[in-house]
Amino acid sequence: MSYSVFILRRGQGELEKLPLESYERVKEAIRRLSEEPRPSGCKKLAGREGWRIRVGDYRVIYEIDDKAEVITVLHLGRRRNIYR
């Protein structure tokens, strides 16, 4: 099963601002979501829709639409800023 992955404009801007090493790691983690939308270590968010994965110091917040097989990346950034 392969999901399509879309990154919202806000997420694209946040991704582009990451340092090169972190950019590559986060980009690869997002790509892997298409193969496994709920990888080990992912968490369902409490108090809002979505899931999160941890990539080093960064968090990726995303939604899963199982019927349409679509993953939408909403937001990404450091932990101290991501949940505000």
Side-chain angles (χ1 to χ4, degrees), residues 21-51:
E21 183 179 308
S22 299
Y23 172 85
E24 293 297 331
R25 290 180 58 200
V26 171
K27 186 175 83 169
E28 180 61 24
I30 291 171
R31 188 197 62 75
R32 285 193 311 262
L33 287 175
S34 69
E35 300 161 9
E36 180 58 50
R38 294 175 185 89
S40 66
C42 75
K43 298 215 177 195
K44 178 85 171 94
L45 296 177
R48 69 188 262 194
E49 290 293 316
W51 294 77

Side-chain angles (χ1 to χ4, degrees), residues 48-59:
R48 69 188 262 194
E49 290 293 316
W51 294 77
R52 77 108 172 119
I53 56 171
R54 182 177 157 214
V55 184
D57 291 339
Y58 296 92
R59 305 296 187 268

Side-chain angles (χ1 to χ4, degrees), residues 3-4 37-38 51 63-72:
Y3 283 64
S4 298
R38 294 175 185 89
W51 294 77
E63 291 180 342
I64 303 170
D65 183 348
D66 288 312
K67 290 180 182 176
E69 294 186 351
V70 171
I71 294 172
T72 305

